[in-house]
Every structure is written in structure tokens, then in C-alpha cells.
Amino acid sequence: MKRQLPFFLVFVFGAFMAIQYFVPHKTSEAIYEFFIDILPIIGVFALALGIWSLTKVSVDKIRYRRENWQYAIFTLLGLFLMILFGFTDENWGFHWRMSPEVAGEGTDNPNFRLLFNYVMIPIQATMFALLAFFIASASYRAFRARNLLATLLLIAALILMLRFTPFFGDWIGLRLSETATWLMNVPNTAAQRAIVMGVGLGLVATALKVVLGIERDYMGRG
Amino acid sequence: MRRSTLIGGSLVVVFFLAAWLIKGAGASGESPYYSAFLITLAAFLTLAVFSFLYADNPVYKFAEHLFVGVSAAYWMVLGFWQTLVPNLIPRISRALSEQLELEYIDELWNVLYVIPVVLGILLLLRLSRKLGWLSRYAVAFIVGTTAGLNFIAYTRSNFMAQISSTFLPLVGDWTSWAAFVDNLSLSATGPLALLMANIVVVLGVVCGLIYFFFSREHSGTFGMASRLGIWILMITFGASFGYTVMGRISLLVGRMTFLLRDWLGIIAS
């Protein structure tokens, strides 16, 4: 009941979703549409679970004065401010409506947008921009022409990088933009296709293992 | 907290307070100090993340922890208003739909929409030590349907569609030599250029797959094909790496533009 029934249900739902593709019947399609509709709804409950977990971890960190506990205060502050703005309007009222008259509620709340634009976006964009420095040091190691394979890697990368550089973009005679487009459209397509086929086979095999109950770790122990 | 951290933190706060006041004094508009505060806050957070380049430090940790909280809540709020409210409420309650000014969907099967609510509540029971095992039913539904969906979706898109797209013409219609070599460029619009591109794609896919085939020793003709496969793979990795580098650089340029133009006003708009 605690373990075997859920695995049986995984098999039933998995087999149904796979088989329904071959059954173009109204009922089968309606059940398929229904499942597709409700999956994201359950996902929102999973998000709530994540929020609760984050709150609990942060509160415990503060309560038991664990290492770097002071920073957990800011996690909770950001979390609750964003939730507060997300469920109120600009006058701090919760109307439980989404009409244009109460514009500014939920995701339209100006304070919610301010936190998004001036806190979330700068940090997120800078974190990705930070990778430019790490990727530069990685390319120093990767782009050394030690042998034929490394040289091929170097040349392809150089063509692509120079193509996007305004100064070299279309350097006389080299036709960098044309060469870069060809590299992306022809050899890149070929190799990506080979990789995608391998990945696809792996994913299909994993899905089969899950449906048939060979892979069971995701359900946890106990 | 160490004394040096406190002194450093205080200096940072004083610096950004001064930056805010100077920017506010020089700004125009309805509420100059408020908009100056927002821009200075974004600049502070940008520099806080960049400070990681020196070392993991308290200012970076502050920005990192704040980001975790804000982004978790952001996705939660978005999930509620954009997924739960429009997909669930108009199906389960006419009164709530009217209150939310949503159009009630009157269908016979609406009662079934209680199922995701029940499964969602079961998922939340994971928090309970006694009833935590009930969440497995919700997990079983999510995992089962997703695995079944992926089984078909990946077989079609990652396997069959890729194979059928690789069946490209390797010979073309012959009219004359001049027409055959016409428009011979890497833009691949002439017949010869198109044929060459098709040959590279077909050979690349076959040789790439041979390289990943480890059940046979890579020697002889098989080994040669495998070597050609790794050459094409290296060109692809180089191109993808170069592309990624330029993507990150453009993000860096974006952040620098924000700091130098929007915050400091050193470069013109």
C-alpha cells in the first residue's frame, strides 16, 4: 500500500500516456488533455512545498545559529516581501480579484515589479555575466592548439567569436559571417543530430525504466 | 561577526548612501531620490555579485541569499496567478470565478478538477512524518504521466524526426556544368554547395554516431569513420563554446552599460 501501489500507479499512468498516442479516440484524447491540464496545477502545490521547505531551512538556521545564519534573514525578507507584494495591490489590500479596476494587484503590483526589476534581474543578469570571466579562463586552457582536435576546436571557436565582434565582423576577404553561419548550419547540425539521437535513446530508456518499475529511487526510501 | 567584516560592511553602506544622495541631487523628474535609490540599489547588487571575482565575501553572500528568497517567491506568485487561478478556479467554483471576474467554464467533467487539488494536498503531506507516504501517490501521478509522455515525445522528436531529417539528397539534377557550380559559396544556395552541405551533414551524423558506438573496437574503416566523427564533433564543440563565450560577453556588456550609463552617467545614452 505504501510503496507497491504507487509503483503500480506509475506503470498505469505511464503506459496510458504512451499507448494513448496510438489510440485516436475521443475518450482517450479527452483523458490525455485532462492529464496535461492538471499536471501544472499539481506543480504549483510542489512550488508551495518548496517555499515551505526554504522557510523551514532558513528559520532553523537562524534558530540554531548555524554557520552564516545572518544571511538567512535576508532570504526570508526577500521571500516574504515578494509574496506580500504578489498577493496585495498597491494600497496593501487583498481584493481576490483580477479585474482592470484593481490594476496593480498580484504580479501587476508596482512593488512586485520593482523587486523584480531592481533586485531579481540585476542579480540574475550579473550572475550570468560573471560566467564570462570563468569561461574566459576555461577557454585559455581549451583553446591551446596542442593537437589536431584542439586546433579544430580553436579555429571553430575563433571564427564564431570574431563573427560577433563588431571590428572583425566582416573582415576583408575572410567572410567570417558566412563561414560562421555555415559552421552552425552544416557541421554543427550533423554533430548535434548525432548527440540528440544518443540523448533521445537514453531518455526513452530512462522513461521505460521508470514506467516498468526498474528505476525506483525517485520515490525515496521507507 | 568579525570586526573587519563590520568595518568593511559599514564602508560599503556609507559609499552607496553617498552615491544615492549624489545621484538623487543630480536627477530630475517626479521623485528623483526614489528613482536614484532604485538605480543605486540595482548597482549595489550588481557590484555585490561581481565582488565574487575577488573572493567569496559577505556582500556577495548577502546578494546570493536575497536572490534565493526573492526568486523562490517570484515563481510561487507567478505559478499561483498564471497557472492555478486561470486553470483551476473557472472549473471548480462559479462563485469564486465571479469574484475573480473569470469566465466560468460549465462542463460536465468539472468535478474531476478536484483531483489535482487532492493530489496537490497529498503532495503537501510530505511535510508530515506520519502521513508523508501519501505524497507518493501524487509523485506517482507526476512521474508516471511525465515518463509516458517523454517516452513518445523523445522517440518522435529526438529519434525519428532526426533520422528522417538526415535522409537528404546526395545527388542533384544535372543540366550543365555552369549551372552546377553556379552560386558556389558557403551560403549554400547553388546546387554544388547544397550537395556538399548535404554530404557533410549525412557523413557527420553517421560518423558522429559511430564515434559514440563503443560495442566495437574503433579500428580499420570503422576507426577512420570514428576519427572523422570526432573531428566534426570538435568543430561543433568549438563553435558552441565560441557562441557561449560571446553570449556571456554580451551579458557582461549589458551589466557594464547599466553601471556606466544608468548609474554613473559616464557614457551617453
Side-chain angles (χ1 to χ4, degrees):
Chain A
M1 183 75 176
K2 283 187 179 178
R3 278 186 73 83
Q4 295 310 314
L5 191 57
F7 284 126
F8 177 69
L9 287 176
V10 169
F11 172 75
V12 170
F13 290 127
F16 170 78
M17 290 306 265
I19 291 167
Q20 69 75 35
Y21 179 74
F22 302 98
V23 188
H25 189 268
K26 252 188 348 192
T27 315
S28 150
E29 279 171 7
I31 298 173
Y32 170 80
E33 292 289 333
F34 174 68
F35 282 179
I36 296 290
D37 268 4
I38 67 171
L39 264 176
I41 298 174
I42 304 168
V44 178
F45 285 91
L47 272 174
L49 190 69
I51 295 283
W52 171 256
S53 176
L54 179 64
T55 311
K56 193 172 178 310
V57 167
S58 302
V59 168
D60 283 353
K61 210 171 175 181
I62 297 166
R63 188 192 290 166
Y64 300 115
R65 296 284 191 273
R66 292 200 184 117
E67 200 189 349
N68 291 328
W69 63 272
Q70 301 92 337
Y71 302 107
I73 298 170
F74 299 110
T75 303
L76 290 176
L77 187 75
L79 183 78
F80 288 111
L81 273 180
M82 202 68 167
I83 289 180
L84 182 72
F85 293 147
F87 289 99
T88 52
D89 65 12
E90 50 192 319
N91 301 317
W92 303 97
F94 182 63
H95 292 276
W96 190 238
R97 286 165 72 187
M98 295 209 307
S99 74
E101 300 151 35
V102 220
E105 186 185 4
T107 49
D108 286 333
N109 184 335
N111 294 319
F112 183 84
R113 285 172 176 239
L114 283 182
L115 267 186
F116 177 74
N117 288 331
Y118 291 97
V119 174
M120 198 172 147
I121 289 293
I123 300 178
Q124 195 172 16
T126 315
M127 277 192 178
F128 281 110
L130 203 63
L131 293 180
F133 293 95
F134 297 114
I135 217 164
S137 81
S139 40
Y140 173 72
R141 275 167 278 149
F143 293 163
R144 269 185 296 178
R146 293 180 303 263
N147 50 38
L148 177 68
L149 294 178
T151 313
L152 282 175
L153 186 98
L154 169 71
I155 292 169
L158 270 181
I159 291 171
L160 252 292
M161 288 195 292
L162 290 178
R163 182 251 177 275
F164 287 108
T165 313
F167 181 69
F168 292 105
D170 264 313
W171 211 10
I172 28 150
L174 279 181
R175 294 187 165 187
L176 281 175
S177 133
E178 212 176 308
T179 316
T181 311
W182 184 84
L183 271 180
M184 290 308 277
N185 288 344
V186 182
N188 181 56
T189 304
Q192 293 287 358
R193 222 168 249 174
I195 293 169
V196 161
M197 279 186 210
V199 170
L201 273 179
L203 286 166
V204 169
T206 308
L208 255 182
K209 276 167 78 180
V210 167
V211 172
L212 296 176
I214 300 166
E215 171 69 57
R216 293 179 167 212
D217 285 349
Y218 62 89
M219 206 62 97
R221 293 172 195 279
Chain B
M1 207 177 273
R2 288 208 323 239
R3 201 169 153 224
S4 58
T5 310
L6 277 174
I7 295 170
S10 311
L11 283 175
V12 169
V13 171
V14 169
F15 173 76
F16 280 95
L17 273 176
W20 167 37
L21 294 173
I22 293 167
K23 181 144 186 79
S28 56
E30 217 172 276
S31 42
Y33 280 97
Y34 183 57
S35 53
F37 169 75
L38 291 173
I39 296 222
T40 310
L41 173 70
F44 164 67
L45 292 169
T46 302
L47 290 172
V49 176
F50 274 137
S51 71
F52 185 74
L53 287 170
Y54 171 67
D56 195 5
N57 62 76
V59 184
Y60 172 77
K61 278 199 187 100
F62 160 76
E64 187 189 29
H65 281 74
L66 186 68
F67 178 71
V68 170
V70 168
S71 61
Y74 173 78
W75 291 112
M76 169 72 214
V77 170
L78 225 62
F80 180 83
W81 287 110
Q82 292 184 356
T83 305
L84 202 73
V85 169
N87 293 325
L88 186 69
I89 306 292
R91 299 269 190 180
I92 58 165
S93 163
R94 191 187 290 272
L96 263 179
S97 302
E98 278 169 13
Q99 202 170 2
L100 279 161
E101 300 194 356
L102 292 166
E103 199 177 330
Y104 180 68
I105 304 166
D106 198 0
E107 277 180 10
L108 188 66
W109 305 106
N110 274 356
V111 67
L112 290 176
Y113 277 80
V114 175
I115 295 173
V117 179
V118 172
L119 288 174
I121 293 167
L122 288 183
L123 202 62
L124 292 176
L125 285 178
R126 200 167 185 88
L127 300 167
S128 156
R129 281 191 187 182
K130 269 189 176 176
L131 299 172
W133 61 275
L134 280 169
S135 68
R136 285 184 186 148
Y137 290 99
V139 173
F141 176 78
I142 296 169
V143 172
T145 44
T146 312
L149 263 178
N150 284 349
F151 179 72
I152 294 296
Y154 287 119
T155 308
R156 288 186 68 193
S157 67
N158 281 38
F159 203 60
M160 287 159 78
Q162 300 300 329
I163 293 173
S164 73
S165 310
T166 311
F167 281 89
L168 297 164
L170 298 180
V171 285
D173 289 334
W174 178 270
T175 47
S176 68
W177 179 254
F180 188 61
V181 295
D182 182 43
N183 198 4
L184 186 63
S185 73
L186 288 177
S187 311
T189 49
L192 178 59
L194 271 176
L195 275 183
M196 295 306 286
N198 286 354
I199 290 169
V200 173
V201 168
V202 174
L203 266 179
V205 173
V206 173
C207 295
L209 284 172
I210 286 175
Y211 175 75
F212 288 119
F213 190 77
F214 300 115
S215 302
R216 196 180 148 174
E217 196 186 338
H218 289 193
S219 59
T221 316
F222 198 75
M224 273 168 65
S226 156
R227 219 166 301 135
L228 183 61
I230 186 69
W231 289 354
I232 296 210
L233 281 168
M234 288 314 269
I235 291 172
T236 300
F237 292 148
S240 306
F241 198 79
Y243 205 78
T244 312
V245 170
M246 292 317 284
R248 301 296 179 220
I249 296 283
S250 85
L251 272 172
L252 182 65
V253 169
R255 291 326 293 160
M256 286 302 168
T257 310
F258 166 75
L259 287 176
L260 299 176
R261 188 188 63 194
D262 300 349
W263 185 45
L264 295 175
I266 293 174
I267 54 173
S269 326

